[in-house]
Amino acid sequence: MKIGTYQLNSQVMLAPMAGITDQPFRQLCCQLGAGLAVSEMVSSNPKVWNTEKSKLRMIHDAAAGIRSVQIAGSCPDELAFAAQVNADNGAQIIDINMGCPAKKVNKKLAGSALLQEPELVERIVQSVVNAVNIPVTLKIRTGWCENTRNGIEIAKIAEHNGIASLAVHGRTRNDFYKGNAEYDTIKAIKAAISIPVVANGDITSPDKALQVLSYTGADAIMIGRGAQGRPWIFREINHFLATGNKMQAPTLSEVRSIVLAHVMELHQFYGDFKGVMIARKHVSWYVHNLVETYEGFSEAFNNDQGKAFRAIFNALSSPEEQLATLDKFFDDFATNSF
Protein backbone atom coordinates (compact mmCIF):
# COMPACT_ATOMS: atom_id res chain seq x y z
CA MET A 1 0.00 0.00 0.00
CA LYS A 2 1.20 3.51 -0.81
CA ILE A 3 0.43 6.74 1.00
CA GLY A 4 1.46 9.51 -1.33
CA THR A 5 5.00 8.65 -2.33
CA TYR A 6 5.57 6.35 0.65
CA GLN A 7 5.41 2.61 0.00
CA LEU A 8 4.57 0.75 3.20
CA ASN A 9 6.37 -2.54 3.79
CA SER A 10 3.37 -4.07 5.55
CA GLN A 11 -0.44 -4.02 5.41
CA VAL A 12 -0.56 -3.73 9.19
CA MET A 13 -0.37 -0.37 10.99
CA LEU A 14 -0.29 0.79 14.59
CA ALA A 15 -3.28 2.98 15.45
CA PRO A 16 -2.69 6.26 17.29
CA MET A 17 -3.58 5.96 20.99
CA ALA A 18 -3.19 8.80 23.47
CA GLY A 19 -0.71 7.97 26.21
CA ILE A 20 0.38 4.78 24.45
CA THR A 21 1.79 5.30 20.96
CA ASP A 22 4.72 7.40 22.10
CA GLN A 23 8.05 7.26 20.32
CA PRO A 24 9.41 4.22 22.24
CA PHE A 25 6.29 2.14 21.50
CA ARG A 26 6.10 3.23 17.86
CA GLN A 27 9.74 2.36 17.37
CA LEU A 28 9.23 -1.07 18.94
CA CYS A 29 6.15 -1.85 16.83
CA CYS A 30 7.94 -0.86 13.63
CA GLN A 31 10.86 -3.11 14.55
CA LEU A 32 8.35 -5.94 14.99
CA GLY A 33 6.61 -5.48 11.65
CA ALA A 34 4.27 -2.49 11.69
CA GLY A 35 4.28 -0.81 8.28
CA LEU A 36 3.29 2.53 9.81
CA ALA A 37 2.98 3.75 13.39
CA VAL A 38 0.91 6.91 13.81
CA SER A 39 1.84 9.25 16.65
CA GLU A 40 -0.22 10.24 19.64
CA MET A 41 -2.71 13.01 18.99
CA VAL A 42 -1.17 16.51 18.98
CA SER A 43 -3.49 19.43 19.69
CA SER A 44 -3.74 22.08 17.00
CA ASN A 45 -3.86 24.76 19.70
CA PRO A 46 -0.42 26.44 19.84
CA LYS A 47 -1.07 27.56 23.42
CA VAL A 48 -0.48 24.02 24.71
CA TRP A 49 2.63 23.23 22.66
CA ASN A 50 5.00 24.33 25.41
CA THR A 51 3.73 21.70 27.86
CA GLU A 52 6.05 18.77 28.50
CA LYS A 53 3.46 16.36 27.09
CA SER A 54 3.16 18.23 23.81
CA LYS A 55 6.90 18.71 23.44
CA LEU A 56 7.45 14.95 23.71
CA ARG A 57 4.65 14.21 21.28
CA MET A 58 6.19 16.57 18.73
CA ILE A 59 9.51 14.73 18.63
CA HIS A 60 9.65 12.94 15.27
CA ASP A 61 12.47 10.43 15.02
CA ALA A 62 13.29 8.31 11.97
CA ALA A 63 13.80 5.27 14.22
CA ALA A 64 10.01 5.05 14.54
CA GLY A 65 9.59 4.44 10.80
CA ILE A 66 7.73 6.74 8.43
CA ARG A 67 6.87 9.73 10.59
CA SER A 68 3.07 10.06 10.64
CA VAL A 69 1.84 12.73 13.07
CA GLN A 70 -1.80 12.96 14.10
CA ILE A 71 -3.27 16.40 14.77
CA ALA A 72 -6.62 17.24 16.36
CA GLY A 73 -8.77 20.34 16.59
CA SER A 74 -11.75 22.06 15.01
CA CYS A 75 -10.36 25.30 13.55
CA PRO A 76 -9.21 24.89 9.92
CA ASP A 77 -6.56 27.60 10.23
CA GLU A 78 -5.14 26.21 13.48
CA LEU A 79 -5.01 22.70 12.04
CA ALA A 80 -3.26 23.99 8.93
CA PHE A 81 -0.67 25.79 11.04
CA ALA A 82 -0.16 22.69 13.23
CA ALA A 83 0.38 20.64 10.08
CA GLN A 84 2.99 23.11 8.83
CA VAL A 85 4.86 23.16 12.16
CA ASN A 86 4.97 19.37 12.39
CA ALA A 87 6.04 19.05 8.77
CA ASP A 88 8.86 21.50 9.45
CA ASN A 89 9.81 19.40 12.49
CA GLY A 90 10.19 16.25 10.41
CA ALA A 91 6.71 14.79 9.95
CA GLN A 92 6.39 12.93 6.65
CA ILE A 93 2.62 12.35 6.85
CA ILE A 94 -0.04 14.42 8.62
CA ASP A 95 -3.03 12.50 9.98
CA ILE A 96 -6.21 14.37 10.99
CA ASN A 97 -8.12 12.95 13.95
CA MET A 98 -11.88 12.74 13.46
CA GLY A 99 -12.28 9.51 15.39
CA CYS A 100 -11.49 10.18 19.05
CA PRO A 101 -14.65 9.61 21.16
CA ALA A 102 -13.36 11.21 24.38
CA LYS A 103 -15.74 13.76 25.91
CA LYS A 104 -12.98 16.29 26.62
CA VAL A 105 -12.07 16.22 22.93
CA ASN A 106 -15.63 16.15 21.57
CA LYS A 107 -16.82 19.07 23.69
CA LYS A 108 -14.37 21.22 21.71
CA LEU A 109 -15.98 19.96 18.48
CA ALA A 110 -12.84 17.95 17.74
CA GLY A 111 -12.31 14.24 17.19
CA SER A 112 -15.42 12.29 16.21
CA ALA A 113 -17.67 15.27 17.02
CA LEU A 114 -16.64 16.66 13.64
CA LEU A 115 -18.56 13.88 11.91
CA GLN A 116 -21.71 15.83 12.76
CA GLU A 117 -20.44 18.76 10.67
CA PRO A 118 -19.63 17.61 7.11
CA GLU A 119 -19.16 21.18 5.86
CA LEU A 120 -16.58 21.86 8.58
CA VAL A 121 -14.92 18.54 7.77
CA GLU A 122 -14.49 19.73 4.19
CA ARG A 123 -13.03 23.09 5.23
CA ILE A 124 -10.58 21.39 7.59
CA VAL A 125 -9.43 18.87 5.00
CA GLN A 126 -8.99 21.56 2.34
CA SER A 127 -7.07 23.80 4.74
CA VAL A 128 -4.65 21.10 5.92
CA VAL A 129 -4.07 19.56 2.48
CA ASN A 130 -3.30 22.99 1.01
CA ALA A 131 -0.97 23.89 3.88
CA VAL A 132 1.64 21.16 3.42
CA ASN A 133 3.52 19.38 0.65
CA ILE A 134 3.35 15.97 2.31
CA PRO A 135 0.51 13.41 2.29
CA VAL A 136 -2.47 14.06 4.56
CA THR A 137 -4.49 11.14 5.89
CA LEU A 138 -7.72 11.01 7.89
CA LYS A 139 -8.97 8.80 10.74
CA ILE A 140 -12.73 8.58 11.32
CA ARG A 141 -15.43 6.45 12.87
CA THR A 142 -18.50 5.20 10.99
CA GLY A 143 -20.53 8.15 12.28
CA TRP A 144 -21.64 9.96 15.41
CA CYS A 145 -24.35 7.45 16.34
CA GLU A 146 -26.31 4.60 14.82
CA ASN A 147 -28.91 6.96 13.37
CA THR A 148 -26.32 9.26 11.81
CA ARG A 149 -23.83 6.78 10.38
CA ASN A 150 -22.42 9.00 7.62
CA GLY A 151 -19.02 7.41 7.03
CA ILE A 152 -19.56 7.18 3.28
CA GLU A 153 -20.37 10.90 3.02
CA ILE A 154 -17.25 11.82 5.01
CA ALA A 155 -15.14 9.42 2.96
CA LYS A 156 -16.25 11.05 -0.29
CA ILE A 157 -15.45 14.49 1.11
CA ALA A 158 -11.99 13.20 2.06
CA GLU A 159 -11.32 11.75 -1.38
CA HIS A 160 -12.56 14.81 -3.27
CA ASN A 161 -10.34 17.13 -1.25
CA GLY A 162 -6.98 15.40 -1.48
CA ILE A 163 -6.81 12.98 1.46
CA ALA A 164 -4.22 10.30 0.64
CA SER A 165 -5.76 7.47 2.67
CA LEU A 166 -8.63 6.95 5.09
CA ALA A 167 -8.64 4.86 8.28
CA VAL A 168 -12.05 3.84 9.62
CA HIS A 169 -12.80 2.47 13.09
CA GLY A 170 -15.84 0.21 12.87
CA ARG A 171 -17.82 1.91 15.61
CA THR A 172 -19.77 5.15 15.97
CA ARG A 173 -18.72 7.73 18.51
CA ASN A 174 -21.59 6.75 20.79
CA ASP A 175 -20.33 3.16 20.79
CA PHE A 176 -17.01 4.29 22.30
CA TYR A 177 -15.29 0.87 22.58
CA LYS A 178 -18.35 -1.12 23.64
CA GLY A 179 -19.74 -4.13 21.84
CA ASN A 180 -18.20 -5.42 18.65
CA ALA A 181 -16.83 -3.40 15.76
CA GLU A 182 -18.87 -3.69 12.57
CA TYR A 183 -17.25 -3.93 9.17
CA ASP A 184 -20.23 -3.46 6.83
CA THR A 185 -19.74 0.30 6.82
CA ILE A 186 -16.01 -0.05 6.16
CA LYS A 187 -16.82 -2.39 3.25
CA ALA A 188 -19.31 0.15 1.86
CA ILE A 189 -16.78 2.98 2.22
CA LYS A 190 -14.14 0.97 0.38
CA ALA A 191 -16.61 0.37 -2.46
CA ALA A 192 -17.52 4.06 -2.63
CA ILE A 193 -14.06 5.63 -2.94
CA SER A 194 -10.82 4.90 -4.75
CA ILE A 195 -8.21 6.10 -2.20
CA PRO A 196 -6.70 3.47 0.14
CA VAL A 197 -8.92 2.47 3.07
CA VAL A 198 -7.57 1.11 6.35
CA ALA A 199 -9.87 -1.00 8.55
CA ASN A 200 -9.65 -0.64 12.32
CA GLY A 201 -11.43 -2.13 15.32
CA ASP A 202 -11.19 -5.39 17.29
CA ILE A 203 -8.39 -6.87 15.18
CA THR A 204 -6.49 -8.91 17.75
CA SER A 205 -5.25 -11.99 15.87
CA PRO A 206 -3.92 -13.08 12.48
CA ASP A 207 -7.19 -14.88 11.74
CA LYS A 208 -9.23 -11.74 12.43
CA ALA A 209 -6.84 -9.65 10.34
CA LEU A 210 -7.35 -11.88 7.30
CA GLN A 211 -11.10 -12.02 7.90
CA VAL A 212 -11.42 -8.22 8.03
CA LEU A 213 -9.20 -7.66 4.98
CA SER A 214 -11.12 -10.25 2.98
CA TYR A 215 -14.57 -9.04 3.99
CA THR A 216 -14.05 -5.30 3.65
CA GLY A 217 -11.64 -5.26 0.72
CA ALA A 218 -9.59 -2.75 2.72
CA ASP A 219 -6.04 -2.03 1.62
CA ALA A 220 -4.62 -2.40 5.12
CA ILE A 221 -5.60 -2.88 8.74
CA MET A 222 -4.83 -0.86 11.84
CA ILE A 223 -4.14 -2.44 15.24
CA GLY A 224 -4.79 -0.52 18.45
CA ARG A 225 -5.53 -2.27 21.73
CA GLY A 226 -4.46 -5.61 20.23
CA ALA A 227 -0.84 -4.43 20.32
CA GLN A 228 -0.84 -3.57 24.03
CA GLY A 229 1.45 -6.06 25.72
CA ARG A 230 1.86 -7.88 22.41
CA PRO A 231 3.77 -5.69 19.96
CA TRP A 232 4.91 -8.81 18.05
CA ILE A 233 1.32 -9.13 16.73
CA PHE A 234 2.45 -7.19 13.64
CA ARG A 235 4.96 -9.77 12.51
CA GLU A 236 2.51 -12.57 13.37
CA ILE A 237 -0.10 -11.04 11.09
CA ASN A 238 2.44 -10.29 8.35
CA HIS A 239 3.61 -13.90 8.41
CA PHE A 240 0.07 -15.30 8.32
CA LEU A 241 -0.99 -13.06 5.44
CA ALA A 242 2.13 -13.98 3.47
CA THR A 243 2.18 -17.73 4.12
CA GLY A 244 -1.15 -18.86 5.54
CA ASN A 245 0.75 -20.37 8.47
CA LYS A 246 0.78 -19.27 12.10
CA MET A 247 4.03 -18.19 13.71
CA GLN A 248 4.99 -19.72 17.00
CA ALA A 249 4.72 -17.37 19.94
CA PRO A 250 8.01 -15.64 20.74
CA THR A 251 10.23 -17.51 23.13
CA LEU A 252 10.27 -16.42 26.74
CA SER A 253 13.85 -15.26 26.24
CA GLU A 254 12.79 -12.98 23.39
CA VAL A 255 9.83 -11.61 25.33
CA ARG A 256 12.16 -10.88 28.21
CA SER A 257 14.49 -8.94 25.90
CA ILE A 258 11.60 -7.00 24.35
CA VAL A 259 10.06 -6.04 27.68
CA LEU A 260 13.30 -5.01 29.35
CA ALA A 261 14.44 -3.01 26.31
CA HIS A 262 11.05 -1.28 26.10
CA VAL A 263 11.07 -0.35 29.78
CA MET A 264 14.64 0.95 29.57
CA GLU A 265 13.69 3.03 26.52
CA LEU A 266 10.75 4.53 28.44
CA HIS A 267 13.10 5.48 31.29
CA GLN A 268 15.49 7.12 28.84
CA PHE A 269 12.82 8.92 26.81
CA TYR A 270 10.78 10.32 29.70
CA GLY A 271 13.36 10.51 32.45
CA ASP A 272 13.39 8.45 35.62
CA PHE A 273 10.24 9.71 37.32
CA LYS A 274 7.81 9.79 34.40
CA GLY A 275 9.42 6.79 32.73
CA VAL A 276 8.77 4.67 35.81
CA MET A 277 5.14 5.81 35.88
CA ILE A 278 4.50 5.04 32.21
CA ALA A 279 6.29 1.67 32.34
CA ARG A 280 3.72 0.41 34.85
CA LYS A 281 0.82 0.14 32.41
CA HIS A 282 2.94 -1.47 29.72
CA VAL A 283 4.29 -4.08 32.15
CA SER A 284 0.74 -4.84 33.29
CA TRP A 285 -0.25 -5.51 29.67
CA TYR A 286 2.84 -7.66 29.07
CA VAL A 287 2.13 -9.75 32.17
CA HIS A 288 -1.52 -10.18 31.20
CA ASN A 289 -0.43 -11.39 27.77
CA LEU A 290 2.04 -13.84 29.27
CA VAL A 291 -0.69 -15.33 31.45
CA GLU A 292 -2.94 -15.71 28.39
CA THR A 293 -0.26 -17.15 26.09
CA TYR A 294 2.21 -19.26 28.01
CA GLU A 295 1.82 -22.34 30.12
CA GLY A 296 3.77 -22.34 33.34
CA PHE A 297 1.86 -19.85 35.41
CA SER A 298 0.36 -21.46 38.45
CA GLU A 299 -3.33 -20.90 39.14
CA ALA A 300 -2.29 -18.87 42.16
CA PHE A 301 -0.28 -16.47 39.99
CA ASN A 302 -3.21 -15.98 37.66
CA ASN A 303 -5.20 -14.80 40.65
CA ASP A 304 -3.78 -13.63 43.97
CA GLN A 305 -0.09 -13.68 43.10
CA GLY A 306 -0.72 -11.84 39.86
CA LYS A 307 -2.48 -9.06 41.72
CA ALA A 308 0.32 -9.03 44.28
CA PHE A 309 2.98 -8.72 41.57
CA ARG A 310 1.22 -5.80 39.93
CA ALA A 311 0.81 -4.10 43.30
CA ILE A 312 4.51 -4.57 44.04
CA PHE A 313 5.60 -3.37 40.60
CA ASN A 314 3.32 -0.35 40.67
CA ALA A 315 4.82 0.73 43.99
CA LEU A 316 8.38 0.78 42.68
CA SER A 317 9.82 4.25 42.28
CA SER A 318 13.13 3.85 40.47
CA PRO A 319 14.26 2.45 37.11
CA GLU A 320 16.73 0.13 38.85
CA GLU A 321 14.00 -1.38 41.01
CA GLN A 322 11.72 -1.93 38.03
CA LEU A 323 14.40 -3.66 35.96
CA ALA A 324 15.55 -5.85 38.86
CA THR A 325 11.96 -6.87 39.62
CA LEU A 326 11.32 -7.75 35.98
CA ASP A 327 14.51 -9.82 35.88
CA LYS A 328 13.32 -11.78 38.91
CA PHE A 329 9.85 -12.13 37.39
CA PHE A 330 11.24 -13.77 34.24
CA ASP A 331 13.64 -15.94 36.26
CA ASP A 332 10.72 -17.19 38.35
CA PHE A 333 8.63 -17.73 35.23
CA ALA A 334 11.39 -19.78 33.59
CA THR A 335 11.65 -22.05 36.61
CA ASN A 336 7.91 -22.14 37.29
CA SER A 337 8.58 -20.77 40.77
CA PHE A 338 5.33 -18.86 41.24
Side-chain angles (χ1 to χ4, degrees):
M1 172 180 161
K2 289 185 73 173
I3 299 178
T5 59
Y6 296 107
Q7 179 68 51
L8 306 190
N9 59 12
S10 165
Q11 286 180 279
V12 194
M13 305 178 185
L14 173 66
M17 294 178 284
I20 299 169
T21 55
D22 54 19
Q23 183 175 296
F25 192 61
R26 296 197 309 275
Q27 180 175 331
L28 176 59
C29 291
C30 287
Q31 290 171 348
L32 292 170
L36 183 71
V38 184
S39 77
E40 297 175 89
M41 184 170 61
V42 175
S43 173
S44 64
N45 182 359
K47 293 179 181 178
V48 304
W49 291 352
N50 285 326
T51 66
E52 191 63 27
K53 179 190 293 186
S54 291
K55 287 179 180 178
L56 288 172
R57 289 185 178 185
M58 294 174 77
I59 295 174
H60 313 316
D61 192 294
I66 298 170
R67 299 183 291 280
S68 176
V69 178
Q70 187 177 82
I71 58 175
S74 59
C75 173
D77 290 340
E78 279 192 356
L79 283 159
F81 181 62
Q84 290 172 335
V85 169
N86 280 281
D88 290 343
N89 286 346
Q92 295 169 302
I93 296 172
I94 296 295
D95 184 61
I96 306 173
N97 181 307
M98 296 189 188
C100 179
K103 291 181 180 179
K104 68 179 182 180
V105 174
N106 290 174
K107 72 180 182 181
K108 299 177 182 177
L109 196 61
S112 55
L114 287 165
L115 301 177
Q116 301 172 99
E117 305 286 344
E119 291 182 0
L120 180 55
V121 168
E122 185 162 42
R123 294 202 304 272
I124 287 171
V125 169
Q126 289 173 344
S127 184
V128 175
V129 169
N130 291 332
V132 294
N133 293 318
I134 58 177
V136 178
T137 60
L138 178 65
K139 174 79 184 294
I140 67 170
R141 287 188 166 226
T142 57
W144 175 256
C145 65
E146 184 177 353
N147 296 326
T148 58
R149 192 176 276 122
N150 62 342
I152 293 176
E153 178 187 10
I154 300 297
K156 289 181 177 179
I157 290 171
E159 179 179 38
H160 293 159
N161 290 281
I163 289 296
S165 75
L166 178 72
V168 187
H169 183 105
R171 288 181 173 87
T172 67
R173 183 272 176 183
N174 281 2
D175 291 329
F176 285 87
Y177 297 97
K178 298 177 292 187
N180 298 317
E182 60 92 4
Y183 307 109
D184 290 337
T185 304
I186 300 176
K187 181 178 182 179
I189 288 171
K190 175 57 186 173
I193 62 176
S194 60
I195 61 174
V197 172
V198 182
N200 174 228
D202 294 352
I203 303 171
T204 57
S205 70
D207 289 312
K208 189 64 175 287
L210 179 59
Q211 174 192 336
V212 171
L213 280 170
S214 299
Y215 182 74
T216 63
D219 301 274
I221 54 172
M222 188 169 267
I223 309 292
R225 290 170 293 167
Q228 294 173 1
R230 190 184 168 193
W232 46 86
I233 190 174
F234 298 98
R235 73 179 185 192
E236 292 176 339
I237 293 174
N238 288 335
H239 183 79
F240 185 63
L241 294 178
T243 69
N245 299 316
K246 299 284 184 65
M247 286 187 74
Q248 289 189 336
T251 65
L252 183 61
S253 175
E254 184 181 14
V255 172
R256 180 180 195 152
S257 296
I258 290 170
V259 173
L260 289 172
H262 185 192
V263 170
M264 285 189 284
E265 187 65 28
L266 289 170
H267 295 157
Q268 181 175 350
F269 184 73
Y270 287 105
D272 290 356
F273 178 75
K274 191 171 182 181
V276 164
M277 300 287 286
I278 290 175
R280 293 170 181 170
K281 61 187 173 187
H282 285 282
V283 168
S284 179
W285 291 325
Y286 281 123
V287 171
H288 176 76
N289 179 71
L290 286 166
V291 171
E292 293 289 318
T293 306
Y294 295 86
E295 296 180 0
F297 279 93
S298 67
E299 184 176 348
F301 184 85
N302 290 342
N303 296 298
D304 294 341
Q305 289 182 9
K307 293 178 183 178
F309 173 80
R310 286 190 291 272
I312 290 169
F313 192 85
N314 289 343
L316 301 176
S317 59
S318 75
E320 294 77 16
E321 289 174 320
Q322 284 193 336
L323 295 171
T325 300
L326 283 170
D327 266 327
K328 184 177 186 305
F329 168 82
F330 281 103
D331 286 341
D332 289 345
F333 183 96
T335 57
N336 197 17
S337 299
F338 296 112

